[in-house]
Amino acid sequence: MAVSSEFSRILTLLRKEKGISQKAAAASLGVSQALLSHYEKGIRECGLDFLVRAADFYGVSCDYMLGRTPDRSGTTLSIEEIPEPDSAGKENVMKGSILVVLNKKLIANSLNILFDMLNKAGSSSLTREVSDYIMIAVYRMFRVVYSANDKNQSGMFKLPEQIAHQYCAAAMEMRQANASAVASGKPLDGMDRIKDVDSLSLSTEKITREYPLFGTSLLNLINSAEKAVDFHPPQK
């Protein structure tokens, strides 16, 4: 059976998450430690019977083990199933640092305005490039914070640590270049244009008026971001 290249990585990650040795896992899965080692390194391909046993043992679906879905139960999230950022629940309760709560709200509220503008623009290419840029930025910072605890398993990520920063930086530059091409009215081949440029007309007053709940957050974010950049114009 030809298995996904993701299989060996996920098989190793699940064993480490379970906190058991390769020898113990092999015994539970009914194979030799040497064979399991080959599976985890991608040297050998397993059969369907082993795939099913491993999925049952680790409590995940075969699709997850093959890297066909990010959901361990094997289901694929629909738009309706993704919770809103401000949904109630313990995962959204921010206690402690005022700075954490403030920055989370500034960023989340500003993103509401940005994605409303993308919706008005009506360009799938612009939406895709902007979204990918933001997702990569979040991914990069998540990896940084995640790495603070050296006990966390690096197997969560497919991108090797030694190249992750450089590859992400390059990908973000490409996404920004593509987005800028669309925004300037000169999209590259295969990209669609902004359908309604006039809908993107904004001013400080208009932002406050059209986005009474989020406008102040965006204006504060702009100010905070420019302070973080720490640009000092040359003295005349």
Side-chain angles (χ1 to χ4, degrees), residues 128-129 132-133 136 170-180:
R128 181 175 58 252
E129 300 300 334
D132 285 352
Y133 182 97
I136 295 170
M172 291 176 72
E173 288 292 330
M174 288 190 291
R175 298 303 184 276
Q176 182 170 344
N178 291 338
S180 296

Side-chain angles (χ1 to χ4, degrees), residues 3 7-8 34-35 37-46:
V3 298
F7 176 75
S8 58
L35 183 56
S37 176
H38 285 170
Y39 289 160
E40 289 190 354
K41 292 178 180 177
I43 298 173
R44 293 274 302 273
E45 292 184 346
C46 74

Side-chain angles (χ1 to χ4, degrees), residues 123-138:
S123 168
S124 59
S125 297
L126 184 60
T127 298
R128 181 175 58 252
E129 300 300 334
V130 171
S131 300
D132 285 352
Y133 182 97
I134 294 170
M135 283 191 279
I136 295 170
V138 173

Side-chain angles (χ1 to χ4, degrees), residues 45-139:
E45 292 184 346
C46 74
L48 179 60
D49 58 339
F50 178 82
L51 173 64
V52 173
R53 287 202 309 276
D56 288 342
F57 178 66
Y58 290 118
V60 298
S61 72
C62 290
D63 276 348
Y64 177 79
M65 295 213 66
L66 294 174
R68 290 163 55 89
T69 172
D71 189 277
R72 297 192 176 208
S73 67
T75 58
T76 302
L77 286 175
S78 65
I79 292 178
E80 292 75 20
E81 292 173 313
I82 299 175
E84 292 294 332
D86 55 353
S87 297
K90 64 179 182 179
E91 291 182 60
N92 199 47
V93 176
M94 305 293 292
K95 295 181 179 179
S97 172
I98 295 177
L99 182 62
V100 171
V101 178
L102 173 63
N103 286 339
K104 177 192 172 186
K105 289 184 176 181
L106 287 181
I107 294 169
N109 291 345
S110 297
L111 285 176
N112 275 322
I113 297 178
L114 176 58
F115 279 93
D116 184 60
M117 294 176 69
L118 290 173
N119 185 53
K120 291 176 179 176
S123 168
S124 59
S125 297
L126 184 60
T127 298
R128 181 175 58 252
E129 300 300 334
V130 171
S131 300
D132 285 352
Y133 182 97
I134 294 170
M135 283 191 279
I136 295 170
V138 173
Y139 165 84

Side-chain angles (χ1 to χ4, degrees), residues 5-24:
S5 59
E6 288 288 277
F7 176 75
S8 58
R9 182 185 71 85
I10 294 172
L11 183 64
T12 305
L13 174 63
L14 289 171
R15 176 177 61 78
K16 290 181 177 179
E17 283 185 349
K18 201 174 181 71
I20 60 175
S21 67
Q22 199 173 68
K23 181 178 180 180

